[in-house]
């Protein structure tokens, strides 16, 4: 797609009042998306946003493009059908931890394994916000909510580990309060040929405020986050600490600028084993990675489908719908 210098962020905003709670992290995600699209050069008539049900699912109303507010958990299926019918479209699925990982979990994993060229953004606030504060599939063990007054006993999902287990070809994590990082991840997700899965930490300041504060607070962030940079060591704590591998066990090592990196963990987003290890850096005991965990080149579903159709036409000729419906075994009842 060629860049279109005439479009700006305002061209992708609608005249609808944005109806999220004041201070919601969704505002930032919306802003970053509208800012990035002019740089990608996608014409509005070739752009589609599809959502399910939840706070995040209002997104299509606020994007001046085509869109569909579909049904609970089914956005990946709708997006897959649309991409199969019109492969030239840039298709974005907007979902949340409840919509995408609960009722929509089955649709999500099959969209990932099939590898349609679509982009799935999962807004993760670790709570059900739209329905007023019940625990979600990503809420931590022991979470006190209206639906778990004694603390949740559910083991939470690890979204990126799930995506990798479903053989997604692009897996990344960003957050609402790091706009520069988020914009870069959105760009690379759209440029990836295949299904891009991006988990976005998103603060729900009404029902789960501060869930990700340790990763967004300026004082804590240097010690709790690792910015994944291709071909570079995994550094944190203002580049005074690094990750290394003892066999396949991650360890923290002291690091001084200028030290040899030979024994350190160098990020390689093409390495599936290292990507799985990164996805398992999920506890509060150590730093958490942000960036592109994994990416690979693999044929897309819609390309394979079109190749199969072309081959069938070559062998059998153009099909006839009436003949197909009647089939070879038909009879007349008098």
């Amino acid at each position: 797609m060629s860049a279109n210098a005439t479009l700006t962020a305002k061209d992708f905003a609608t005249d609808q009042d944005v109806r999220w709670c004041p201070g919601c992290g969704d505002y930032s995600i919306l802003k970053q998306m509208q800012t990035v699209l002019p740089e990608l050069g996608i014409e509005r008539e070739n752009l589609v946003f599809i959502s399910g049900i939840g706070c995040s699912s209002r997104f299509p109303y606020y994007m001046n493009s085509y869109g569909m507010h579909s049904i609970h958990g089914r956005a990946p299926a709708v997006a897959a059908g649309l991409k199969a019918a019109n492969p030239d479209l840039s298709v974005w699925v907007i979902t949340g931890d409840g919509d995408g990982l609960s009722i929509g979990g089955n649709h999500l994993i099959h969209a990932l394994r099939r590898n349609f060229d679509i982009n799935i953004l999962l807004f993760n606030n670790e709570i059900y916000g739209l329905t007023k504060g019940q625990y979600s599939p990503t809420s931590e063990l022991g979470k006190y909510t209206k639906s778990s007054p004694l603390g949740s006993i559910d083991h939470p999902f690890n979204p990126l580990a799930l995506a990798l287990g479903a053989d997604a070809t692009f897996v990344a994590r960003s957050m609402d309060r790091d706009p520069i990082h988020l914009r870069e991840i959105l760009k690379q997700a759209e440029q990836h040929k295949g299904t891009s899965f991006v988990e976005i930490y998103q603060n729900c300041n009404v029902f789960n405020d501060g869930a990700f504060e340790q990763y967004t607070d300026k004082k804590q962030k240097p010690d709790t986050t690792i910015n994944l940079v291709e071909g570079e060591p995994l550094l944190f704590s203002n580049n005074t600490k690094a990750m290394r591998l003892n066999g396949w066990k991650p360890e923290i090592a002291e690091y001084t600028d200028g030290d040899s990196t030979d024994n350190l963990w160098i990020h390689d987003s093409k390495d599936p084993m290292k990507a799985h290890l990164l996805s398992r850096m999920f506890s509060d005991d150590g730093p958490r990675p942000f960036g592109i965990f994994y990416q690979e080149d693999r044929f897309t579903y819609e390309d394979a489908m079109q190749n199969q159709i072309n081959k069938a036409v070559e062998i059998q000729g153009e099909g006839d719908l009436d003949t197909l419906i009647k089939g070879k075994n038909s009879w007349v009842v008098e």
Side-chain angles (χ1 to χ4, degrees):
M1 299 177 183
S2 60
N4 187 342
T6 63
L7 293 178
T8 67
K10 290 183 179 180
D11 292 310
F12 290 96
T14 68
D15 60 358
Q16 300 297 302
D17 292 334
V18 182
R19 297 186 180 276
W20 286 314
C21 300
C24 175
D26 288 355
Y27 285 96
S28 175
I29 303 172
L30 176 65
K31 176 63 176 177
Q32 307 327 313
M33 176 62 73
Q34 291 170 341
T35 301
V36 161
L37 286 174
E39 300 177 34
L40 295 174
I42 303 172
E43 300 289 351
R44 287 178 296 179
E45 58 268 27
N46 293 325
L47 183 63
V48 186
F49 288 87
I50 298 175
S51 64
I53 297 297
C55 295
S56 64
S57 296
R58 295 178 179 272
F59 209 90
Y61 292 104
Y62 310 139
M63 294 300 304
N64 191 10
S65 67
Y66 287 109
M68 181 184 295
H69 191 169
S70 70
I71 55 180
H72 208 181
R74 274 62 176 181
V78 174
L82 179 61
K83 190 68 179 182
N86 190 344
D88 294 333
L89 295 176
S90 174
V91 180
W92 297 76
V93 172
I94 307 298
T95 187
D97 46 305
D99 180 64
L101 297 176
S102 186
I103 190 172
N106 194 48
H107 293 285
L108 177 66
I109 60 174
H110 292 298
L112 294 173
R113 74 176 177 86
R114 286 175 174 139
N115 201 39
F116 282 92
D117 187 16
I118 61 176
N119 309 292
I120 301 175
L121 307 184
L122 187 137
F123 297 14
N124 183 7
N125 54 25
E126 298 186 346
I127 203 75
Y128 275 106
L130 184 68
T131 51
K132 308 301 184 286
Q134 299 86 355
Y135 76 92
S136 83
T138 56
S139 295
E140 72 272 19
L141 189 65
K143 180 73 173 179
Y144 293 99
T145 72
K146 294 175 181 179
S147 57
S148 55
L150 300 180
S152 170
I153 57 174
D154 276 6
H155 182 77
F157 258 135
N158 178 335
L160 296 195
L162 177 74
L164 289 166
D167 285 336
T169 58
F170 182 100
V171 178
R173 177 191 289 143
S174 190
M175 60 181 104
D176 56 2
R177 297 190 180 184
D178 194 340
I180 295 175
H181 185 269
L182 178 55
R183 288 198 296 270
E184 184 57 33
I185 293 298
L186 293 175
K187 286 182 196 175
Q188 295 195 49
E190 202 284 329
Q191 290 165 357
H192 173 72
K193 178 72 170 176
T195 302
S196 301
F197 180 82
V198 181
E199 178 190 24
I200 305 174
Y201 284 175
Q202 175 257 322
N203 191 52
C204 176
N205 59 310
V206 174
F207 296 109
N208 203 21
D209 193 26
F212 305 113
E213 186 175 10
Q214 66 197 90
Y215 309 114
T216 58
D217 178 70
K218 290 183 179 180
K219 292 183 179 180
Q220 299 182 66
K221 186 175 180 179
D223 297 319
T224 59
T225 64
I226 294 173
N227 185 25
L228 299 174
V229 180
E230 193 73 18
E232 298 291 332
L234 276 60
L235 302 176
F236 63 105
S237 290
N238 296 315
N239 294 345
T240 63
K241 294 182 180 179
M243 299 302 300
R244 66 186 178 196
L245 289 174
N246 182 0
W248 287 106
K249 181 181 179 181
E251 293 181 341
I252 297 175
E254 299 297 323
Y255 178 79
T256 301
D257 190 32
D259 286 355
S260 172
T261 60
D262 291 346
N263 296 321
L264 299 182
W265 183 344
I266 306 300
H267 183 50
D268 178 6
S269 64
K270 301 294 177 62
D271 189 324
M273 296 304 294
K274 287 184 176 180
H276 279 281
L277 290 178
L278 287 171
S279 74
R280 291 298 175 181
M281 293 173 63
F282 196 62
S283 70
D284 294 334
D285 299 333
R288 193 167 292 191
F290 291 83
I292 300 173
F293 285 51
Y294 183 67
Q295 54 185 329
E296 70 165 286
D297 294 326
R298 193 169 83 219
F299 69 89
T300 64
Y301 188 97
E302 63 268 26
D303 284 349
M305 182 185 72
Q306 189 58 55
N307 289 339
Q308 197 170 71
I309 291 172
N310 293 340
K311 186 175 181 180
V313 170
E314 181 181 339
I315 296 173
Q316 303 174 8
E318 292 287 346
D320 180 78
L321 183 59
D322 189 57
T323 301
L324 177 64
I325 293 173
K326 288 181 178 179
K328 296 180 179 179
N329 301 312
S330 62
W331 60 93
V332 178
V333 178
E334 296 182 353

